[in-house]
């Protein structure tokens, strides 16, 4: 069966189903779910119940005592995470979050309303962990825990990208993403996970990065980028790896040195660091900032993230810069210093170029590349020619985690307005804290899940279409590796003619480097705007 066409997919049925929401039965329809994790990945990560199975199988081969495992797991987490217990107790079902989830907007499925997604778990909490639920069962909103509930959890907790948009609108601050995280963590106890999450996690353990690139492959990729940048600019930059005693460790998501359009952003970093003479190093072991543990369990977050501080210590750096990535920054900003710290062996970050003290990074000792670059621009340390980006008419997609989990809203915009001449914001209720997710985050960016990704990405694409039609926007910029991987197919599907780029790709284009040859192309090797016009004249 081929993927549905856009005009079929926009026929969304918002009428509530006649079925009682308490009925857990789900249909695993092709295109709307992700395949199960391969047993070899569970084994590699030491996770339970490795076996061959698929979500559409009748028999999920759960462990015989699966019910006890889930209830014990819930009990433990209700004790351990106060937020989880609070979120189970305080929802007043006001419905303010109901129409805020991109998966509900794109699918019309009521169980994709955040309030109902949480209720799938809350109903089990009520039945087994509250007195009224134990006494009155469904009359008190409780449900029996059955295998069908496990299947329903799997379906809907892997139809939430943990984007936290709903939490912005909840008067009580209930964060459904955290409920999804606990849901996935509980499913994990039964060996019910998806391969798109566990394969990268297993690769990370083996080689330090999601893609399974070994140290010599990492070095080859970096060397290739150095050669390519020399061809484009005439300047040979240094890109040190594992250099002990460097001032700064630079952490990137692996897609930056292996995928497009990420790779052009990577060229932008190399050009920038060379131009300011930064004393930095990559690590061939911490060759991944991304952390798919966030989509699996708190324990996995901690295990995967540990390598960053370990490498900072081994290499003897003073502090860390992190590149453009979404969920990587949620982990770094919200969890790293408490999970893997304290990082008291590092210094409080101070820019060696401007002297700016990054007080917000006092605890993690890690600075976002956009904060670092915005500070350089603000202190007039870069020579920039925004005209080199004139072939682009630019808008900015706030990636969910830097926007909502970090509040990194102004720095990317400040950079973009400095490095390009034409910039247009998408409508207000689709950007900044209210940004719409790409629809493919949290490990859902697989081909088998194509229909649900396109549905989930519809609100984002719709806002892009608005600025394309109104202002002629032809480039969507972002600061997330998952966005760069998944937005191109989303836009090709819904808004053809709009491309995707990282912010530092445009920085690299605009950056006037000392001693560079006359630039005739941008970092993609495409003629600069005036050259294009001249060629057409
Ligand atoms: S907005 Fe908050 S309180 Fe209201 S239904 Fe949603 S989660 Fe519950
Ligand atoms: S976190 Fe995002 S994907 Fe999940 S329910 Fe809330 S809005 Fe939907």
């Amino acid at each position: 069966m081929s993927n549905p066409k856009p005009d079929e997919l926009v026929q969304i049925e918002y009428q509530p189903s006649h079925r009682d929401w308490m009925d857990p039965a789900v249909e695993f329809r092709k295109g709307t779910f992700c395949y199960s994790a391969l047993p070899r990945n569970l084994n590699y990560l030491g996770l339970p119940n490795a076996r061959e199975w698929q979500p559409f199988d009748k028999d999920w081969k759960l462990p015989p005592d699966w019910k006890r495992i889930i209830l014990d797991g819930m009990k433990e987490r209700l004790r351990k995470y106060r937020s989880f217990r609070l979120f189970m107790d305080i929802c007043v079902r006001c419905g303010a979050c109901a129409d805020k989830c991109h998966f509900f907007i794109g699918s019309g499925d009521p169980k994709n309303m955040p309030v109902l997604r949480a209720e799938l778990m809350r109903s089990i909490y009520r039945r087994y962990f509250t007195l009224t639920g134990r006494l009155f069962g469904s009359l008190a909103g409780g449900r029996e825990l059955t295998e069908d509930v496990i299947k329903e959890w799997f379906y809907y907790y892997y139809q939430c990208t943990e984007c936290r948009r709903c939490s912005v609108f909840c008067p009580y601050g209930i964060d459904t993403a955290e409920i999804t995280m606990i849901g996935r963590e509980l499913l994990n106890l039964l060996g019910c996970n998806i391969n798109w999450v566990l394969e990268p996690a297993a690769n990370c353990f083996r080689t330090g990065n999601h893609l399974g690139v070994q140290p010599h492959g990492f070095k080859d990729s970096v060397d290739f980028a150095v050669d390519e940048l020399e061809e484009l600019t005439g300047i040979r930059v240094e890109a040190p790896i594992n250099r002990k005693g460097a001032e700064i460790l630079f952490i990137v998501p692996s897609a930056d040195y292996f995928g497009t359009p990420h790779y052009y952003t990577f060229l932008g970093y190399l050009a920038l660091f060379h131009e300011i003479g930064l004393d930095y190093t990559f690590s061939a072991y911490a060759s991944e900032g991304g952390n798919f543990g966030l989509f699996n369990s708190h324990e996995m977050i901690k295990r995967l993230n540990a390598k960053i501080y370990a490498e900072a210590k081994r290499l003897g750096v003073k502090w860390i810069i992190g590149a453009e990535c979404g969920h990587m920054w949620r982990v770094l900003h919200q969890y790293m210093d408490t999970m893997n710290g304290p990082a008291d062996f590092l210094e409080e970050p101070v820019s060696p170029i401007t002297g700016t003290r990054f007080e917000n990074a006092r605890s993690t000792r890690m600075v976002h590349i956009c904060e670092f670059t915005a500070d350089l621009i603000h202190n007039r340390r870069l020579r920039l020619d925004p005209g080199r980006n004139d072939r682009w008419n630019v808008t900015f997609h706030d990636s969910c985690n830097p926007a909502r989990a970090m509040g990194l809203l102004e720095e990317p915009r400040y950079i973009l307005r400095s490095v390009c001449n034409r910039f247009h914001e998408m409508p207000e209720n689709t950007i900044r804290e209210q940004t719409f997710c790409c629809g493919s985050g949290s490990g859902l960016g697989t081909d088998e899940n194509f229909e649900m990704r396109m549905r989930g990405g519809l609100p984002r694409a719709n806002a892009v279409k608005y600025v394309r039609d109104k202002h002629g926007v032809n480039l969507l910029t972002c600061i997330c590796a998952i966005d760069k991987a998944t937005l191109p197919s989303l836009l090709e599907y819904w808004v053809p003619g709009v491309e995707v780029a990282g912010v530092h790709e445009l920085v690299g284009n605009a950056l006037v480097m000392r001693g560079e040859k006359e630039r005739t192309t941008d970092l993609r090797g495409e003629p600069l705007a005036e050259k294009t016009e001249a060629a057409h004249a």
Side-chain angles (χ1 to χ4, degrees):
M1 197 176 77
S2 59
N3 292 320
K5 301 276 177 292
D7 51 349
E8 295 168 47
L9 225 55
V10 285
Q11 311 299 325
I12 302 165
E13 181 59 76
Y14 289 109
Q15 286 296 323
S17 146
H18 294 301
R19 270 179 43 208
D20 190 332
W21 74 267
M22 284 201 169
D23 176 358
V26 286
E27 182 197 351
F28 284 91
R29 192 165 50 78
K30 194 172 180 297
T32 64
F33 65 93
C34 300
Y35 293 156
S36 64
L38 296 174
R40 67 156 194 261
N41 291 323
L42 276 85
N43 285 331
Y44 194 85
L45 293 164
L47 297 176
N49 201 22
R51 72 219 181 276
E52 297 285 352
W53 72 287
Q54 283 300 344
F56 45 76
D57 293 343
K58 197 167 178 319
D59 179 5
W60 278 24
K61 302 176 190 162
L62 301 180
D65 55 346
W66 67 267
K67 196 166 174 176
R68 181 193 58 76
I69 294 172
I70 290 290
L71 293 176
D72 285 355
M74 273 186 87
K75 190 173 170 187
E76 186 191 337
R77 284 158 184 79
L78 285 164
R79 203 174 45 232
K80 198 166 163 189
Y81 304 114
R82 279 170 57 198
S83 56
F84 179 40
R85 181 174 282 277
L86 201 67
F87 295 162
M88 288 295 99
D89 280 330
I90 64 170
C91 173
V92 292
R93 294 194 247 183
C94 67
C97 62
D99 60 350
K100 304 303 186 294
C101 175
H102 48 288
F103 282 114
F104 172 66
I105 297 171
S107 71
D109 183 341
K111 289 191 181 176
N112 272 325
M113 292 178 180
V115 55
L116 205 38
R117 195 189 307 285
E119 207 66 20
L120 305 181
M121 168 94 49
R122 209 175 269 129
S123 54
I124 302 303
Y125 165 73
R126 282 200 204 97
R127 165 64 184 80
Y128 295 92
F129 296 94
T130 67
L131 184 61
T132 48
R134 276 198 290 262
L135 291 176
F136 302 113
S138 63
L139 291 176
R143 287 194 306 172
E144 292 300 320
L145 180 58
T146 62
E147 282 199 35
D148 277 347
V149 168
I150 297 299
K151 293 179 179 178
E152 180 197 46
W153 280 6
F154 183 91
Y155 192 66
Y156 289 104
Y157 292 134
Y158 284 102
Q159 261 176 39
C160 164
T161 41
E162 303 180 4
C163 78
R164 307 172 87 214
R165 186 171 196 269
C166 48
S167 70
V168 172
F169 298 89
C170 174
Y172 292 90
I174 293 175
D175 186 349
T176 307
E178 289 211 8
I179 298 171
T180 291
M181 286 165 73
I182 297 288
R184 291 187 183 193
E185 198 164 308
L186 292 170
L187 289 165
N188 206 37
L189 301 175
L190 304 180
C192 298
N193 1 55
I194 65 170
N195 205 51
W196 202 250
V197 169
L198 286 204
E199 179 110 11
N203 283 342
C204 250
F205 273 103
R206 233 184 336 266
T207 64
N209 56 70
H210 290 160
L211 300 170
V213 178
Q214 295 182 18
H216 57 280
F218 175 66
K219 182 169 177 355
D220 280 353
S221 296
V222 174
D223 287 350
F224 184 81
V226 168
D227 289 345
E228 188 126 325
L229 192 62
E230 185 176 14
E231 243 171 68
L232 293 164
T233 64
I235 292 179
R236 184 137 194 105
V237 304
E238 274 197 41
I241 300 172
N242 297 341
R243 185 160 67 80
K244 288 194 172 176
E247 181 174 357
I248 292 162
L249 171 63
F250 184 45
I251 301 287
V252 294
S254 55
D256 277 5
Y257 55 86
F258 231 80
T260 47
H262 315 63
Y263 178 70
Y264 310 118
T265 306
F266 190 75
L267 295 180
Y269 307 142
L270 294 183
L272 176 71
F273 291 169
H274 171 87
E275 181 58 19
I276 60 174
L278 196 69
D279 177 12
Y280 79 104
T281 183
F282 291 101
S283 156
Y285 174 52
S287 50
E288 177 68 74
N291 187 328
F292 273 35
L294 184 68
F295 314 139
N296 177 261
S297 67
H298 289 83
E299 184 55 28
M300 192 72 76
I301 297 175
K302 185 175 176 175
R303 287 168 71 188
L304 290 180
N305 202 61
K307 63 182 178 291
I308 298 180
Y309 279 156
E311 279 297 86
K313 198 172 227 171
R314 183 179 75 88
L315 297 171
V317 301
K318 290 184 181 164
W319 53 283
I320 310 169
I321 295 181
E324 293 182 12
C325 187
H327 74 280
M328 152 178 158
W329 270 101
R330 176 149 176 214
V331 171
L332 302 179
H333 187 72
Q334 291 197 320
Y335 301 111
M336 180 162 78
D337 48 349
T338 48
M339 273 188 177
N340 304 107
D344 45 13
F345 61 96
L346 294 169
E347 293 181 11
E348 195 175 314
V350 176
S351 170
I353 316 301
T354 66
T356 298
R357 184 171 291 273
F358 294 99
E359 290 180 1
N360 56 320
R362 184 179 291 153
S363 177
T364 58
R365 315 282 157 107
M366 188 150 180
V367 173
H368 195 288
I369 182 82
C370 284
E371 295 170 316
F372 183 71
T373 304
D375 175 63
L376 292 171
I377 295 172
H378 181 69
N379 284 288
R380 302 182 186 285
R381 299 305 172 99
L382 302 180
R383 281 182 304 155
L384 298 168
D385 176 1
R388 290 178 179 179
N389 282 314
D390 273 357
R391 82 180 176 101
W392 298 121
N393 201 340
V394 180
T395 192
F396 179 65
H397 160 66
D398 290 271
S399 306
C400 300
N401 287 305
R404 278 190 282 269
M406 287 183 75
L408 194 81
L409 305 171
E410 301 307 331
E411 290 85 344
R413 289 179 165 80
Y414 180 73
I415 297 171
L416 286 170
R417 290 184 190 281
S418 307
V419 299
C420 62
N421 287 318
R422 293 185 293 170
F423 177 78
H424 299 279
E425 291 279 18
M426 287 182 276
E428 211 176 314
N429 61 345
T430 72
I431 57 171
R432 297 177 182 267
E433 290 95 340
Q434 297 188 41
T435 186
F436 272 113
C437 179
C438 63
S440 300
S442 80
L444 307 189
T446 68
D447 284 349
E448 71 260 21
N449 192 35
F450 185 83
E451 178 184 328
M452 197 44 71
R453 285 172 53 197
M454 295 304 109
R455 287 187 182 281
L458 175 61
R460 171 75 297 155
N462 213 17
V464 176
K465 183 174 183 307
Y466 177 82
V467 281
R468 184 198 66 180
D469 295 350
K470 186 164 184 201
H471 301 293
V473 160
N474 61 359
L475 188 71
L476 179 67
T477 53
C478 56
I479 49 172
C480 167
I482 289 180
D483 283 338
K484 286 173 205 161
T486 62
L487 284 171
S489 48
L490 183 83
L491 298 186
E492 193 186 327
Y493 189 81
W494 291 116
V495 204
V498 182
E499 294 189 42
V500 176
V503 166
H504 279 77
E505 176 185 337
L506 300 198
V507 171
N509 284 341
L511 186 69
V512 181
M513 300 171 76
R514 269 166 298 217
E516 70 179 11
K517 68 179 188 186
E518 190 197 351
R519 291 239 211 142
T520 53
T521 68
D522 60 18
L523 295 180
R524 297 185 178 204
E526 296 289 333
L528 295 175
E530 62 269 24
K531 315 286 175 198
T532 319
E533 279 154 24
H536 290 166

